[in-house]
């Protein structure tokens, strides 16, 4: 039986259960964010909650299609002001293994593009391969991407932005995705792929450091027969 795994997340992070109704699960998550609580009926709170829900629906719908096992999201409204972030976990069975070469390194090479930065990060669980990609888009482009993702699953949604506001949000914003690839103990054909995505702009460097710290705190646990659904600071799941 494969081992389980656990993370230690700082304040502001929560787990979204992709196995149940997404609408219900996202409403539960948002209810836990004080500034987005349904008890606050101010117009700006209602609009902010609607935007947050649409964004999370787009992220969760894509994660479910990709076969993601666990999805963790960060709400800047619940924690330090660092902007939206998410971390997905996906076990990958592969035949990339070669004698004398760590499987996580081989998978990292297969994921890397011409401009990717590939490195190795030391953790208490051993070396983790890290593939960093940066690109630039505007906040308006990011909103359109979320709208398109929702449309693909039949959810009609438009971000509450006037044409003037959209134009104002066309300034470039630096975005990043980091793949962390971890060898699964006693398996030569499987890795755990952890993907961190952030639209950060000025927050991007702190966000990347934040992601590295979370992955350094990752650990394998005893084999787990069932996935836990805790959203506490110590969140575990079966792999």
């Amino acid at each position: 039986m494969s081992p389980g795994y656990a993370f230690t997340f700082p304040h502001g992070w929560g787990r979204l259960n992709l196995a149940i109704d997404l609408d219900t699960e996202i409403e539960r998550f948002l209810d836990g964010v004080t500034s987005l609580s349904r008890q606050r009926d101010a117009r700006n709170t209602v609009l902010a909650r609607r935007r947050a829900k649409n964004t999370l629906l787009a992220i969760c719908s894509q994660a479910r299609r990709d076969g993601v096992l666990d999805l963790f999201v960060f709400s800047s409204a619940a924690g330090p002001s660092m902007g939206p972030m998410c971390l997905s976990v996906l076990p990958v069975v592969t035949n990339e293994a070669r004698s004398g070469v760590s499987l996580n390194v081989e998978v990292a090479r297969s994921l890397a593009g011409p401009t990717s930065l590939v490195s190795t990060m030391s953790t208490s669980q051993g070396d983790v391969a890290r593939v960093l990609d940066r690109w630039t888009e505007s906040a308006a482009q990011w909103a359109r991407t979320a709208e398109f993702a929702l449309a693909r699953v039949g959810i009609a949604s438009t971000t509450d932005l006037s044409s003037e506001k959209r134009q104002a949000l066309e300034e470039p914003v630096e975005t990043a995705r980091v793949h962390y690839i971890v060898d699964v103990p006693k398996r030569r054909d499987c890795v755990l792929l952890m993907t961190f995505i952030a639209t950060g702009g000025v927050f991007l460097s702190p966000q990347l450091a934040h992601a590295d710290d979370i992955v350094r705190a990752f650990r394998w646990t005893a084999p787990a027969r069932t996935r836990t659904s805790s959203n506490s600071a110590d969140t575990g799941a079966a792999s």
Side-chain angles (χ1 to χ4, degrees), residues 8-108:
T8 299
F9 283 101
H11 182 64
W13 284 88
R15 175 175 175 267
L16 289 174
N17 186 351
L18 300 176
I20 64 176
D21 178 69
L22 293 182
D23 190 81
T24 302
E25 176 69 345
I26 291 170
E27 292 286 2
R28 177 203 60 78
F29 175 77
L30 294 176
D31 282 342
V33 181
T34 303
S35 63
L36 297 177
S37 169
R38 278 182 280 200
Q39 304 303 315
R40 298 163 58 94
D41 57 0
R43 183 174 182 276
N44 61 338
T45 300
V46 173
L47 292 176
R49 184 182 175 104
R50 185 189 307 163
R51 286 194 293 269
K53 181 177 179 180
N54 287 341
T55 297
L56 291 176
L57 273 171
I59 292 171
C60 290
S61 298
Q62 184 63 52
R64 182 181 276 180
R65 283 194 298 274
D66 291 342
V68 165
L69 180 69
D70 278 308
L71 178 68
F72 305 94
V73 295
F74 175 80
S75 171
S76 57
S81 298
M82 284 199 293
M85 298 178 279
C86 69
L87 178 70
S88 63
V89 181
L90 174 68
V92 177
V93 177
T94 176
N95 59 3
E96 296 284 343
R98 289 191 303 171
S99 178
V101 181
S102 176
L103 182 57
N104 68 43
V105 173
E106 293 288 12
V107 173

Side-chain angles (χ1 to χ4, degrees), residues 94-200:
T94 176
N95 59 3
E96 296 284 343
R98 289 191 303 171
S99 178
V101 181
S102 176
L103 182 57
N104 68 43
V105 173
E106 293 288 12
V107 173
R109 289 172 180 168
S110 71
L111 291 172
T115 60
S116 301
L117 296 177
V118 182
S119 60
T120 301
M121 190 172 75
S122 296
T123 75
S124 62
Q125 306 297 298
D127 288 343
V128 173
R130 184 179 186 271
V131 182
L132 169 63
D133 289 290
R134 295 175 184 251
W135 66 94
T136 300
E137 64 182 352
S138 68
Q141 285 174 314
W142 189 88
R144 286 192 291 269
T145 300
E147 290 166 7
F148 178 70
L150 287 170
R152 286 168 57 185
V153 293
I155 301 173
S157 172
T158 56
T159 306
D160 299 304
L161 295 175
S162 65
S163 58
E164 292 80 9
K165 288 182 178 179
R166 281 186 181 269
Q167 185 65 36
L169 291 174
E170 289 293 349
E171 290 297 319
V173 176
E174 192 173 16
T175 303
R177 177 183 60 235
V178 190
H179 294 304
Y180 300 93
I181 306 99
V182 185
D183 288 328
V184 177
K186 300 181 180 179
R187 293 284 298 269
R188 286 289 297 158
D189 65 339
C190 185
V191 295
L192 205 62
L193 175 63
M194 295 177 277
T195 302
F196 173 84
I197 299 176
T199 303

